[in-house]
């Protein structure tokens, strides 16, 4: 699971607990201007034989935490999910190393609304908490 917050003009994705160790990352910062879309996702993505886990932990159908080379066309993605994950946010990004970030959060709808609001107003409130 991750915690999202806005610091200045960047979205900070703080990886929590053992996922820091499993994914070899403590946090990721993405400029709000680079976020093309934020949507609620449903479960683990379907992996193809051409997708690669580059750095992290993955067991098909069970867990995906870390950096992956995946999709069609292939792009770098960071995932922090389990098969039991229900509240999942998918970020599509341009102009950054990670083109896709798919993570579990406490409340996906709140996170989507907050990120959308910050992209418009660039306010200083933590994502997922009421203003």
């Amino acid at each position: 699971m991750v915690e999202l917050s806005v610091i200045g003009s960047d979205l900070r994705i703080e990886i929590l607990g053992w996922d820091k160790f499993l994914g070899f990352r403590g946090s990721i910062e993405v400029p709000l201007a680079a976020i093309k879309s934020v949507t609620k996702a449903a479960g683990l993505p379907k992996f193809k034989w051409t997708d690669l886990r580059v750095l992290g932990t993955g067991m098909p159908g069970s867990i995906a935490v870390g950096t992956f080379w995946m999709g069609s066309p292939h792009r770098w993605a960071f995932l922090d999910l389990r098969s039991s994950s229900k509240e999942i946010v998918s970020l599509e990004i341009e102009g950054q190393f990670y083109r896709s970030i798919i993570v579990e959060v406490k409340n996906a709808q709140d996170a989507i609304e907050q990120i959308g609001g910050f992209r418009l107003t660039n306010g200083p409130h933590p994502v997922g908490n009421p203003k």
Side-chain angles (χ1 to χ4, degrees), residues 26-92:
S27 65
I28 300 169
E29 291 196 13
V30 178
L32 290 170
I35 300 173
K36 290 193 312 189
S37 68
V38 183
T39 57
K40 184 171 180 173
L44 286 167
K46 300 290 183 198
F47 291 101
K48 299 177 185 169
W49 69 272
T50 57
D51 296 338
L52 298 172
R53 180 185 71 242
V54 178
L55 190 61
T57 303
M59 296 176 79
S62 180
I63 184 171
V65 181
T67 301
F68 292 76
W69 177 247
M70 61 184 292
S72 181
H74 276 85
R75 63 190 185 278
W76 290 109
F78 183 86
L79 288 83
D80 188 349
L81 306 166
R82 288 168 177 69
S83 59
S84 61
S85 299
K86 302 289 185 228
E87 298 292 321
I88 302 169
V89 172
S90 175
L91 301 157
E92 294 301 319

Side-chain angles (χ1 to χ4, degrees), residues 110-125:
D110 285 351
I112 291 166
E113 290 172 7
Q114 292 290 337
I115 294 169
F118 282 110
R119 289 178 62 213
L120 296 175
T121 62
N122 204 13
H125 305 285

